[in-house]
Each structure stands twice: as C-alpha cells, then as structure tokens.
Amino acid sequence: MIDSFQRMRWIAANTFLEAVRQKFFNAVLLLSVALVVGSVFFQQFDFGSSELKFISDFGFGAVFLFGSILSIVLSTQLFFNELDNRTALTLLAKPIHKLEFLAGKFFGAYALMFCFTFSLSLVLAGLLFWRETVLMGQLAEGFDRGRLIRYGDVFVFGFIQWIKFGVIAAMTLFVGSFAQTNLFTIVVSFFGLVICQLQYIARDAYLGMAAGAGRWLVQGLSWLFPNFQLFNIGDQLVYPVEEPLALVTLGLITAYGLVYSVAFVLLAQLNFRSREL
Amino acid sequence: MPSHAISIQNLTKDFSVGLRGLKLRAVDGLNLEVEAGQIYGLLGPNGSGKSTTIKIILGLLRPSAGHCQLFGQPCAEVAARRSLGFLPEAPYFYRDLSGRELVRFYARVCGVPRQQIRKQVDSVIELVGMSEAASRKVGTYSKGMLQRIGLAQALVHDPELVILDEPTAGVDPLGAADIADIIRELKRSGKTILLSSHLLAQMEGLCDRVAILHRGQLIREGRVDDLLTQADAQSFVVEGLDPAAQFKVERAIAEAGGELCRVEKTQRSLDALFLEAVNERAQAAAQEVSHD
C-alpha cells in the first residue's frame, strides 16, 4: 500500500513538472493574472457595484473561467501526451497498476491547479488590499470600523474552486479513458462542465415532479453530474453579510467535491483497465 | 526460479476492426519458451505479430486465448513485471527531464530502495555510455542517445529479463555495435534478453535462439547455429592456391564423390568493413591529439 502511494507520488511529481514546463500553463496563468490586475481599469463596466466588490467578483470570475479551461485542457494534454508519445507504454511496462498511473496523472494535475488557484488568490488579495488602502485614505468615513474585506476568505474561495477543479480534472480523465482523441475529450468535458453548472435545473425539475419513474430518472441524472452551483459561494465570502458561510457548510462542499473526484477517477480506471495500448 | 524466463502457450490475439467488428488475427496459436540466460531473437516482417506478442508479455494487451508466463507468474500480474525491463521501439521520453532525472524517475517507480538509487542510476548510465550527456535534457538527444538512455531506464531496477524492441533502429553502425556489446555484457551477467529486430546480420551474431513469425504464426524456431548450418555441405577457406593447385583440389573432391557447388572469393561483411575503417580513423585521430 505504501509502495503504491509512493509510485503515485512519483508519477504525480513527474506530471506536475511536465505541466509546469508547458507554455500553455504559463500563458494561461499570466493571462489570468493580467485579467485580475486589469479589473482595476474596467470599472466603467461596474454596473453600480462598489469598486472593491467589482474587483473581487471579477477576480473570482477569472479564477473560475481560466481554472476550468486549464483543468480540462491540461488534464487532457497530460493524459493523451502519455498515450500519443507512447511514454505510457514504457511506464505501464513497469510494475505499476493502471489505477496508480491514472491517480498519478490526476494528482499531478490537481497539484498544478493548486498552484494556479493559490497564485491567483494571492494576486487578488494583494490587489484588493492595495485598493482598499487607497480608498481608506480617500474615503475615511466609509471605513470607520476598519477594513471591510476579510482577506482569508479570498483563499477560502480559492480552496473551494480548487476542489471543483479537481472534479473537473477527474471528469476529464474519465472522458479521456474511453475517448480516442484529445479534441473529443476536450469538447465532451466542456459540455460536461456546462451540464454541471446547470445541474440545479434538473434538481429543481425533479423537486417539482410527482413521485414516479419520471422523477427517479431526473433525480438519477442530477446525481450523475455534480452540482457546481454549490461551489459558487463568493457572495457569502470576503464582505460582511448577514449569513456568513458556516465552517460545516465548507466541509460538506469539500467532501461533496472529493467524493465526485474519487468516483470519476474510479470510473476512469474501469474504462482504462480494459483499454489496449 | 523456473528455467523458463518466458513461457507462451497457444497464444492468440484478435483485434476488432471497423464498425462491424471484423476480427483481425495478429497472433495465431503461438507456442514459445525462452530459457533463462539466453539471448532470444524474435524475427518477422512487419505485421507478423512481434510487437503484439511483446505487448502481451508486458501485460499491455490481453490475449484472446492462451497463456503467457514470466518466470512462472502470469504476465498480466503486475508482480510479474518486477523482474522485467523494457525498451520500446523508437522510444520517446519526457523531453524536459535530463537523462539522469529520467532514469532516476523510472528507478523510483520501479521501487529501487532510496539508498541505492544514486548508485544504480550512475551505474546504468555508465554502462550505456551516457555519463557525459546525463545532465542534458532528453529533448536534445539524438536517436542513438535516446536508445542508450532507454536501455538505462530498462536496466535501472536490475531486472532478470530484458525485452528490447528494435534497440538499434535508427542508430548508426557504431552505435549499433556498442548496443550489441551491451547486450552481450547483459548476457554475461546472467540476464535473459528477448530481442526483436529487422537487422538480421546483427541478430545472427547476437542470438542463441531465434523464432521467425509470419502472419502471427511461428514458422521456424531453434538455435541459430542449427538453423543456419547446412548439414549436407561443407566449406573450406583456403589461401595461396594457384590455378593448377585449385584444379587438383577440385578433381580430388570429384574423385572422393563430392560435388563442388561453387568457388568464390571470401568477403567481409559491410558492417565489419565500416567498423574497421571508422575505428582506424578514430584511433589515428586520438594518436594525433596525444602527439600534439
């Protein structure tokens, strides 16, 4: 068991190293940082919200958008590079289980997504701190109780998004486990992402239906895809609100994401086990 | 330990082709036994089932029928691969790692104990002659260097059985001769080597036994000497005969009831000529440098 974890660790470390050295990751990271920093200059589109709220919403949007793209594209690339370049042949000819290979790939991509979300959260927190300090000097009466922003919450949001990116990466690996091309995997995974974003519609639908086969079917479908709306907790974070996010809720969302990640990796293993290389 | 490193019984592999799932038989009822400590050659034209057989041995493909065992263990089991090293045809490795990082990575995933990793890695890198280039990125390596570093990763966990799929493909004759020397060295250290190659001259000089596959079926198998020796013919290599003496020899053969099939000039192989010429030039250059 310890040996198995060690092997996964080494495969994950190698996957991480390979991905970090790819231009795509660095380009997306730079673009995301530029977008977050650029939010300061986009305030004419703020539609009436306060400057700090606008910056945080814009930053959260950038984390979600680029994080989702990165999760899908990088997971696909890291998996198919191994198959297309036949490095998987050399690796799987070693005493390695296919599950260790898949889990190693997943953890490598997951570690990369951690770096991405942490970096972006750090930039966003820094930007908010700078703007809040400037505004405190200009509008002292609005900050008579000190700083408004809870900076730790920026990282809590980043953490929850990272959990979600894990689900997306695992779902992408699942699609890749039966797909023949990386283009197919990317397209289907993006469709999966959209379905997961809109999953609450299915939930609302079955709640309004009478008990019976139709309701079970819709309910079953809603369980098949994770509900990504649960991860949209930005409104309960960062600024003082009437109902701040409870720690228990945070734990439940994390567990929800981890269960789906593990389930998708195990489903990917079911497909990949019988795949002939 | 069982005397057979590889034991294959009635192995068959079918692939489904097209939407209608038509069966393409890549390996057809193959029986093969490779004894431990041998260099065993797998020969055959493209599409003869060599690579499919190797992939089944490696556990990468599942046979449609039949059995395959490595040192008595079913080859589909991961544990069977602990004693196996593999160099794929035209290997491609992680380009951004250095040669040493690459071999270290494979040592780790193969479970080489932490305290032995450095020694093992350095040892195999030296064996394949890559010590000077080990710090360079794999992406900058030539084909020959890739084959050498591929050989190093196949040997880093000190396997009992080494499978080499076209180990000299795309390598110049000097590099191929070096790889052949490494293979002989592996045999001397007690390893079993399964070799697949199109270079028949090299296989002839290296292998103890060979199997020839055609359309997935075994059509010849045996010791190289036995397969190549013509039992009813002898050859004499003679120097310094003038035409009159040659005539006498030919008449003596006829009188003794033999039939002289042909008289020809003895030739070296082109490989031998090339190696001799290049080595002579390299030695001369080395001497010039030492004189300077």
Side-chain angles (χ1 to χ4, degrees):
Chain A
M1 193 70 173
I2 293 171
D3 285 350
S4 188
F5 278 112
Q6 286 283 14
R7 285 194 289 271
M8 277 191 254
R9 186 185 139 204
W10 291 123
I11 295 170
N14 190 52
T15 304
F16 178 80
L17 198 64
E18 196 191 354
V20 162
R21 288 170 177 174
Q22 278 187 15
K23 285 176 187 160
F24 180 73
F25 171 72
N26 295 307
V28 172
L29 183 62
L30 272 179
L31 198 64
S32 313
V33 169
L35 196 67
V36 171
V37 173
S39 63
V40 176
F41 307 105
F42 294 147
Q43 286 169 47
Q44 58 268 44
F45 305 119
D46 68 0
F47 304 112
S49 60
S50 75
E51 180 184 342
L52 294 176
K53 180 87 171 94
F54 177 81
I55 292 172
S56 62
D57 285 350
F58 205 86
F60 290 164
V63 172
F64 165 71
L65 177 69
F66 289 105
S68 302
I69 293 171
L70 208 56
S71 296
I72 290 175
V73 176
L74 264 184
S75 304
T76 305
Q77 264 191 4
L78 292 170
F79 180 70
F80 274 94
N81 276 356
E82 290 270 4
L83 300 185
D84 294 343
N85 297 331
R86 302 196 303 166
T87 43
L89 278 186
T90 319
L91 197 52
L92 290 169
K94 307 283 182 201
I96 289 173
H97 292 275
K98 282 185 173 173
L99 179 59
E100 292 166 358
F101 171 77
L102 271 180
K105 290 275 128 197
F106 170 72
F107 285 127
Y110 210 19
L112 195 79
M113 293 316 298
F114 178 82
C115 291
F116 173 82
T117 44
F118 182 76
S119 308
L120 234 55
S121 301
L122 199 65
V123 170
L124 182 59
L127 192 70
L128 285 169
F129 185 82
W130 170 57
R131 287 309 301 161
E132 191 177 33
T133 307
V134 170
L135 289 173
M136 282 172 83
Q138 291 170 349
L139 311 160
E141 68 279 8
F143 296 91
D144 49 356
R145 289 185 189 173
R147 289 186 179 274
L148 286 174
I149 295 175
R150 297 197 301 260
Y151 287 94
D153 281 6
V154 176
F155 293 94
V156 171
F157 179 84
F159 171 77
I160 288 295
Q161 295 311 299
W162 176 58
I163 295 290
K164 182 168 80 176
F165 297 148
V167 180
I168 297 173
M171 186 171 67
T172 306
L173 275 182
F174 167 61
V175 177
S177 67
F178 59 80
Q180 294 301 318
T181 64
N182 48 12
L183 183 64
F184 177 86
T185 307
I186 288 172
V187 171
V188 172
S189 299
F190 269 111
F191 274 119
L193 174 67
V194 172
I195 291 170
C196 293
Q197 282 293 126
L198 302 176
Q199 191 262 16
Y200 69 96
I201 295 173
R203 186 168 292 267
D204 290 348
Y206 83 72
L207 285 175
M209 288 169 80
R215 179 175 170 148
W216 291 339
L217 183 72
V218 180
Q219 194 169 0
L221 278 175
S222 73
W223 282 341
L224 199 62
F225 295 96
N227 179 6
F228 279 174
Q229 291 301 325
L230 291 178
F231 297 85
N232 290 348
I233 51 167
D235 287 342
Q236 289 174 279
L237 295 170
V238 181
Y239 300 99
V241 285
E242 282 181 14
E243 285 184 47
L245 193 72
L247 204 61
V248 178
T249 313
L250 197 68
L252 285 173
I253 296 171
T254 305
Y256 180 83
L258 291 179
V259 165
Y260 268 101
S261 297
V262 171
F264 276 125
V265 171
L266 291 177
L267 281 172
Q269 153 69 3
L270 275 180
N271 280 324
F272 193 58
R273 197 172 54 176
S274 55
R275 184 168 180 156
E276 299 196 319
L277 300 169
Chain B
M1 187 174 280
S3 65
H4 291 124
I6 303 173
S7 178
I8 291 173
Q9 285 114 33
N10 201 24
L11 193 76
T12 298
K13 178 66 189 174
D14 294 325
F15 289 106
S16 295
V17 182
L19 290 173
R20 294 167 65 189
L22 292 173
K23 298 284 183 200
L24 175 76
R25 182 150 290 185
V27 180
D28 190 0
L30 181 66
N31 290 293
L32 213 62
E33 289 193 324
V34 179
E35 277 184 38
Q38 281 188 338
I39 302 180
Y40 196 98
L42 212 49
L43 306 176
N46 291 336
S48 59
K50 300 188 302 286
S51 293
T52 305
T53 305
I54 287 177
K55 282 183 179 180
I56 292 171
I57 294 171
L58 295 169
L60 298 172
L61 289 179
R62 278 196 272 198
S64 307
H67 302 281
C68 172
Q69 292 186 319
L70 298 178
F71 297 106
Q73 282 185 295
C75 61
E77 286 182 12
V78 169
R81 297 203 286 275
R82 292 217 170 88
S83 51
L84 175 72
F86 171 56
L87 170 68
E89 183 185 357
Y92 183 101
F93 299 114
Y94 306 105
R95 296 174 57 84
D96 291 320
L97 297 184
S98 71
R100 180 169 277 106
E101 283 173 336
L102 183 87
V103 180
R104 193 185 299 137
F105 166 66
Y106 284 114
R108 282 167 172 161
V109 294
C110 286
V112 176
R114 182 186 289 231
Q115 59 274 22
Q116 288 178 22
I117 284 182
R118 172 176 269 198
K119 192 178 147 207
Q120 282 286 99
V121 169
D122 287 346
S123 157
V124 288
I125 284 178
E126 194 183 329
L127 175 72
V128 300
M130 286 289 288
S131 298
E132 283 179 22
S135 303
R136 271 172 52 191
K137 282 192 177 182
V138 171
T140 65
Y141 283 1
S142 66
K143 269 186 182 173
M145 292 164 105
L146 278 176
Q147 294 282 11
R148 282 165 188 262
I149 210 72
L151 207 49
Q153 65 77 28
L155 300 172
V156 72
H157 57 300
D158 194 24
E160 292 299 315
L161 168 65
V162 186
I163 298 180
L164 308 173
D165 194 0
E166 302 284 356
T168 51
V171 181
D172 65 59
L174 274 181
D178 286 346
I179 289 174
D181 286 342
I182 295 168
I183 293 170
R184 287 192 193 95
E185 181 59 36
L186 290 174
K187 191 200 167 186
R188 273 194 289 276
S189 62
K191 313 276 185 220
T192 311
I193 297 117
L194 179 70
L195 195 58
S196 158
S197 176
H198 289 296
L199 298 176
L200 301 182
Q202 192 185 52
M203 294 288 267
E204 186 184 329
L206 268 176
C207 297
D208 298 308
R209 291 181 81 89
V210 292
I212 303 175
L213 303 183
H214 182 63
R215 295 190 175 179
Q217 291 181 328
L218 183 67
I219 54 171
R220 288 275 196 292
E221 200 276 340
R223 284 175 48 81
V224 175
D225 290 343
D226 295 345
L227 292 174
L228 297 184
T229 303
Q230 283 182 270
D232 57 347
Q234 295 85 35
S235 65
F236 302 93
V237 179
V238 183
E239 276 184 341
L241 278 187
D242 58 34
Q246 187 176 329
F247 176 73
K248 283 182 188 170
V249 170
E250 287 173 10
R251 202 173 57 188
I253 289 169
E255 283 171 3
E259 185 189 348
L260 184 65
C261 298
R262 61 183 177 274
V263 176
E264 59 193 11
K265 293 281 183 192
T266 307
Q267 288 190 323
R268 282 180 294 175
S269 69
L270 192 57
D271 267 1
L273 175 71
F274 178 87
L275 289 176
E276 189 183 303
V278 174
N279 285 334
E280 268 177 16
R281 177 55 63 91
Q283 278 173 0
Q287 276 174 354
E288 274 176 30
V289 170
S290 67
H291 286 313
D292 290 342

